[in-house]
Amino acid sequence: MKLCTPHTARLALASVIALTAGMAANAQTDAVASDTPEKAQDQRRFNTVTVTAQRREQSLVDVPLSVSAFDGDLLADLGVADLTEVAKISPNVTLEVSRGTNTTLSAFIRGVGQQDPVAGFEAGVGLYVDDVYLNRPQGAVLDVYDVERVEVLRGPQGTLYGRNTIGGAIKYVTRGLTDEPTFEANVKVGSYSRLDGTLTTSLPVTDSFRVGAAIASFNRDGFGENRITGEENYNKELFGARVSAELDLAENFQLRAAADYSLDKSNARQGHRLIPDQFPPFTYPVLGDVFDTRAGLNAVDQRVEAYGGSLVAEWNLNDNWTIKNILAYREDESTSPIDFDSLPEADVDVPAIYENDQFSEELQFLYSGDRLNGLIGVYYLDANASTVFDVLLATTGDLLSLPGLNAQTFGDVGTETWSIFGDFTYDLTDRWSLSLGGRYTEDTRTSLIQRRTYIGGFSEFFGGAGIPIATTSDFEGEATFDDFSPRVSLSYAVTPESNVYATYSQGFKGGSFDPRGQTTAAPDLNQDGVVSQDEIYTFMQFDPEEVDSYEVGYKASQLDGRVNYSLAGFYSDYKDVQVPGSIGVDTDGDGVNDSFSGVTTNAGAATIWGVEFEGTATLAEDMARPGDLLNLGWSVGYLDAQYDEFIDAFGNDVSDQRVIQNTPDWTANGRISYDTPFAGGNLLLNTQLSYRGESSQFEVPNPFLDQEAFTLWDASIRWETEDGRWGFSLTGKNLTDEEYIVAGYNFVTVNPNGTFTPTLGLEGTLTAFYGDPRTVTAGIDYRF
């Protein structure tokens, strides 16, 4: 029996938010007299958040952008373990672990993102770690530790950031170093034998030199079991470390060096079949536990290793000008056994290797004056992404010695891009401000794609004895894309603590080549009986996409910071939408699709509009006892997203049969915390409800994979000593044990009579991956 249905949860959220909205709307006219609160109490109240969304420190209220900001203490109080959980408290945001992975991120903001995390695609949502852009989604499900804050910027951000971000940006900001020695240790134990530990320290070596380090280990048994191999499914085994150093070369010149490393050795996350197998003689019914699997592929071990470093130099020339340079390098490598059909049969079994590296250089000139503030920046990125995977299709026997066919794909995509960007805000009067920005980008993509057919098992990349018998793709291509993207914003300070703004911004995401493409699948576009090199090039390459975004908003901080909220409405005209997909290919002419080819097209034009309302409020002080606080936080997002045009492979407009993926119409969160002195220390109680409307995993609706609306309920309790050195916590997540799909694979056609026709392989692939079940975690921490 479910404790909270989506309908009742939505009503509860609506009631709480309506009450708060009414209080906020009357805040300016109500005269509230109160004594000055105690300092300790004031520190525990929600206050105006300082962010760097516009590359300078500002109050969140003063930023004419849609920004959600969460400091490290709030994230810890809510038990946020990794970056995907930030989507619970951000409107119109989807952050999920990509299908068949443990640490690859699928991110969508306001309907813009990337579902398929393959090489050669730019992300629709930019992820920045301490101002360094991460070019690939592998290893991007960042665990939240030693973090100062996380900012979520919605809408195009190209005029303010080194890399163009068409849908939005997520800023993960780690803690800075301190002038006093600090140390913090944290240990957590919980459900599924969870055992996590983190250690962080900051140490001033001299008056001008500081060092810091953080190490973390996250471990957990699986939520389910692989019934074939006996391994835990959905387990976690991850180690991470960060080191940093700051050197004040002069009073106005500082260097900061940082490096990080992570190693994920969790088992491969395999899917749960939603339908029985479709090929005799074996019959495998659907398993009862959604976290269980029958995947039999074990050719390679799951392993994700990522590391990188950065050097930031900041020189304050005078009171007005600052020069900042960000130099960074990153690299990661992943191996993964992806068993698409989730069965012991060797049917659509795909061991894969991903390798990524990137070098970036960003030079900023920042100006701060009485009326004019802004920056000019130059950005350069040289990145490479390569993927190799085998697709083995057979039905019985030893995976490494089968006589069945194996289609191997090797794709290598290089990116060399540079841009110049600028964004300035001028205060026309004490109340009116005008922002103007622009960005010129030039992207060059190079691509090498090779596909070969093997017989007898996997290729040499995965220790197999397969023998190459045919080459189905041998493609090299290069393309350059350039764009100018403007931004203009006008804001008016209604009061010193509130403002209204209107913004137009344009976003751009460069084109590329699909690294999974198969040249022999290219169509004869002019019907002359010959598939020319130009037609192959057209088939393999896809063009840039662009979005024009219009936004109006109102922000306010009222009642001496007790109420902070923002309301925004937006409209986006989304053109040349890049739609990645896969199709089955019959390589041997036997009428059965024994391989697949990537097909990415600029099939769509879409219109997306919506509304967002979020904020925080202190509802009561000294309510039950002296020094206590009752705080509220909320966010609501509504999206209306639909394709206006969607041209399929046959030239037909099927927009009325397509939907924007991973984009629920409603997202909402309501959280209440009660903070009070207790037993010689301080007690904090938190509870929150997070609601997501129904959404589709792919552009084509699927009754098995599409997720109905659902609500997650989390709660926590924390007590810490008066001096803040010792803390004890208990956190429960998904307390109603909701089952919900976050990703999936589909290579079947669902027939009108309820049967299934496989479009790749023989068994039929329709598998799902699920969000975490109910968990309870106890923690203890110590700091000085």
Side-chain angles (χ1 to χ4, degrees):
M1 180 178 180
K2 294 183 179 179
L3 301 180
C4 184
T5 66
H7 178 68
T8 57
R10 183 159 48 179
L11 288 176
L13 283 170
S15 300
V16 171
I17 291 163
L19 174 65
T20 308
M23 181 180 67
N26 293 320
Q28 286 182 295
T29 57
D30 290 345
V32 179
S34 62
D35 296 331
T36 302
E38 297 294 331
K39 181 178 179 181
Q41 188 178 26
D42 187 64
Q43 290 175 340
R44 292 181 285 123
R45 183 188 298 118
F46 285 123
N47 289 303
T48 303
V49 179
T50 299
V51 297
T52 57
Q54 295 196 114
R55 294 300 183 104
R56 63 183 187 273
E57 289 191 355
Q58 293 177 280
S59 164
L60 188 61
V61 174
D62 297 329
V63 179
L65 302 167
S66 287
V67 183
S68 300
F70 313 103
D71 65 27
D73 290 338
L74 174 62
L75 296 173
D77 291 341
L78 296 178
V80 173
D82 63 52
L83 200 61
T84 64
E85 293 190 65
V86 174
K88 290 182 180 179
I89 48 180
S90 304
N92 294 328
V93 174
T94 297
L95 302 173
E96 295 174 342
V97 179
S98 297
R99 55 202 183 196
T101 74
N102 294 302
T103 58
T104 299
L105 182 68
S106 291
F108 284 77
I109 295 180
R110 292 180 174 176
V112 179
Q114 180 193 350
Q115 172 71 7
D116 204 343
V118 293
F121 290 82
E122 291 297 312
V125 174
L127 176 60
Y128 294 83
V129 177
D130 293 334
D131 284 335
V132 176
Y133 171 71
L134 303 191
N135 188 57
R136 298 298 306 130
Q138 279 79 31
V141 179
L142 303 176
D143 288 275
V144 174
Y145 70 98
D146 190 38
V147 63
E148 178 181 314
R149 70 181 181 278
V150 174
E151 300 177 21
V152 181
L153 288 68
R154 297 182 292 277
Q157 305 295 328
T159 64
L160 290 163
Y161 289 87
R163 196 70 180 114
N164 207 344
T165 51
I166 187 170
I170 300 171
K171 296 187 64 177
Y172 183 102
V173 183
T174 61
R175 287 179 185 167
L177 302 182
T178 59
D179 293 327
E180 298 293 333
T182 61
F183 172 82
E184 183 174 341
N186 187 299
V187 177
K188 294 180 180 179
V189 296
S191 306
Y192 302 96
S193 301
R194 177 178 177 178
L195 177 59
D196 297 344
T198 61
L199 294 173
T200 62
T201 185
S202 177
L203 180 67
V205 180
T206 68
D207 290 341
S208 60
F209 183 54
R210 299 165 294 279
V211 296
I215 60 173
S217 178
F218 304 102
N219 304 273
R220 185 195 67 228
D221 289 346
F223 301 140
E225 179 186 3
N226 188 317
R227 300 287 188 89
I228 302 301
T229 66
E231 293 181 334
E232 302 276 348
N233 200 28
Y234 288 79
N235 75 322
K236 187 167 187 175
E237 183 182 349
L238 186 143
F239 170 80
R242 302 189 190 115
V243 293
S244 59
E246 293 177 354
L247 175 63
D248 300 327
L249 292 174
E251 185 177 351
N252 64 339
F253 190 83
Q254 183 187 77
L255 290 176
R256 175 183 170 89
D260 63 89
Y261 174 83
S262 65
L263 176 62
D264 186 346
K265 298 175 65 176
S266 311
N267 296 334
R269 182 173 295 202
Q270 302 289 8
H272 171 76
R273 281 186 67 90
L274 302 176
I275 60 174
D277 63 294
Q278 302 293 299
F279 188 74
F282 300 104
T283 299
Y284 296 101
V286 175
L287 292 169
D289 191 328
V290 297
F291 297 104
D292 284 353
T293 185
R294 291 193 182 94
L297 177 60
N298 58 1
V300 295
D301 292 328
Q302 178 90 7
R303 189 178 190 272
V304 181
E305 185 177 26
Y307 54 89
S310 63
L311 178 64
V312 179
E314 189 167 332
W315 183 19
N316 298 314
L317 292 175
N318 51 47
D319 292 340
N320 299 117
W321 284 99
T322 298
I323 299 177
K324 187 174 183 179
N325 193 80
I326 305 169
L327 186 70
Y329 178 80
R330 299 201 61 82
E331 191 169 320
D332 65 81
E333 180 176 350
S334 307
T335 59
S336 181
I338 307 172
D339 194 328
F340 279 76
D341 69 326
S342 297
L343 289 174
E345 277 73 19
D347 189 48
V348 200
D349 287 348
V350 182
I353 299 173
Y354 302 91
E355 294 181 350
N356 306 290
D357 61 76
Q358 66 173 80
F359 167 82
S360 62
E361 157 67 18
E362 182 173 351
L363 178 62
Q364 302 173 7
F365 300 88
L366 300 103
Y367 181 83
S368 177
D370 292 336
R371 289 190 175 274
L372 182 67
N373 292 274
L375 82 159
I376 297 174
V378 180
Y379 181 77
Y380 174 80
L381 173 71
D382 186 0
N384 192 81
S386 67
T387 303
V388 58
F389 58 84
D390 287 4
V391 182
L392 188 64
L393 295 112
T395 55
T396 58
D398 182 352
L399 290 175
L400 296 182
S401 61
L402 284 169
L405 290 176
N406 168 43
Q408 180 206 90
T409 296
F410 172 78
D412 185 274
V413 177
T415 297
E416 187 172 14
T417 180
W418 67 271
S419 61
I420 182 168
F421 57 96
D423 200 286
F424 283 87
T425 299
Y426 182 72
D427 296 333
L428 302 171
T429 68
D430 291 341
R431 293 197 173 191
W432 287 97
S433 297
L434 176 67
S435 297
L436 294 175
R439 174 193 183 87
Y440 176 79
T441 302
E442 186 172 293
D443 287 353
T444 298
R445 297 278 199 279
T446 57
S447 179
L448 171 64
I449 302 170
Q450 294 179 336
R451 293 176 64 109
R452 292 183 293 180
T453 301
Y454 285 70
I455 191 170
F458 289 127
S459 69
E460 67 277 9
F461 281 97
F462 305 101
I467 300 171
I469 59 173
T471 297
T472 56
S473 286
D474 190 2
F475 175 83
E476 290 188 59
E478 180 175 329
T480 298
F481 312 94
D482 59 73
D483 175 79
F484 177 77
S485 303
R487 183 179 89 95
V488 59
S489 181
L490 184 66
S491 61
Y492 174 73
V494 181
T495 70
E497 293 82 26
S498 63
N499 76 73
V500 61
Y501 67 89
T503 298
Y504 163 76
S505 58
Q506 189 178 89
F508 165 83
K509 185 170 76 168
S512 188
F513 301 89
D514 194 319
R516 307 158 304 169
Q518 182 164 312
T519 56
T520 54
D524 181 8
L525 297 176
N526 60 9
Q527 300 294 311
D528 65 354
V530 177
V531 179
S532 67
Q533 290 300 313
D534 287 343
E535 289 170 325
I536 292 174
Y537 184 94
T538 300
F539 175 74
M540 302 292 282
Q541 186 255 324
F542 54 90
D543 292 329
E545 62 181 29
E546 188 175 281
V547 65
D548 290 296
S549 178
Y550 306 84
E551 180 176 324
V552 294
Y554 176 73
K555 296 186 174 187
S557 178
Q558 296 163 348
L559 298 178
D560 294 327
R562 289 173 174 83
V563 179
N564 303 278
Y565 62 95
S566 62
L567 177 66
F570 63 91
Y571 174 90
S572 299
D573 183 11
Y574 196 12
K575 298 182 287 289
D576 295 322
V577 182
Q578 298 168 1
V579 181
S582 300
I583 59 172
V585 177
D586 180 7
T587 61
D588 58 2
D590 65 355
V592 176
N593 291 332
D594 51 18
S595 182
F596 68 85
S597 173
V599 179
T600 300
T601 57
N602 297 94
T607 298
I608 304 172
W609 67 271
V611 179
E612 295 160 351
F613 179 45
E614 59 183 333
T616 60
T618 297
L619 299 180
E621 303 176 49
D622 302 326
M623 180 179 62
R625 57 191 305 167
D628 69 0
L629 292 171
L630 183 64
N631 291 325
L632 171 71
W634 74 91
S635 67
V636 177
Y638 173 75
L639 270 179
D640 184 290
Q642 57 185 341
Y643 280 107
D644 303 315
E645 180 183 71
F646 195 111
I647 307 302
D648 66 11
F650 305 100
N652 302 314
D653 185 356
V654 293
S655 54
D656 60 339
Q657 305 168 34
R658 299 294 186 266
V659 296
I660 306 291
Q661 61 189 31
N662 276 347
T663 304
D665 53 355
W666 285 97
T667 54
N669 174 272
R671 54 190 187 274
I672 294 178
S673 66
Y674 178 66
D675 196 340
T676 182
F678 180 78
N682 200 76
L683 182 68
L684 177 64
L685 306 175
N686 267 298
T687 187
Q688 68 170 348
L689 293 174
S690 303
Y691 172 83
R692 294 184 67 81
E694 62 182 21
S695 61
S696 177
Q697 290 295 327
F698 300 100
E699 287 80 15
V700 179
N702 183 294
F704 290 86
L705 286 174
D706 293 349
Q707 175 60 49
E708 297 180 351
F710 66 96
T711 300
L712 299 179
W713 177 30
D714 301 340
S716 65
I717 180 172
R718 174 180 171 81
W719 181 85
E720 65 180 35
T721 57
E722 187 175 3
D723 59 10
R725 290 199 169 187
W726 287 96
F728 304 87
S729 61
L730 183 67
T731 303
K733 295 182 182 179
N734 191 7
L735 291 174
T736 57
D737 206 20
E738 189 80 32
E739 289 182 358
Y740 58 101
I741 295 173
V742 298
Y745 292 115
N746 177 32
F747 287 107
V748 299
T749 297
V750 182
N751 301 314
N753 62 359
T755 61
F756 306 93
T757 301
T759 58
L760 177 62
L762 301 173
E763 303 292 342
T765 294
L766 188 58
T767 59
F769 299 86
Y770 289 80
D772 293 0
R774 177 174 49 230
T775 59
V776 178
T777 303
I780 180 172
D781 55 83
Y782 173 76
R783 70 184 71 179
F784 69 82

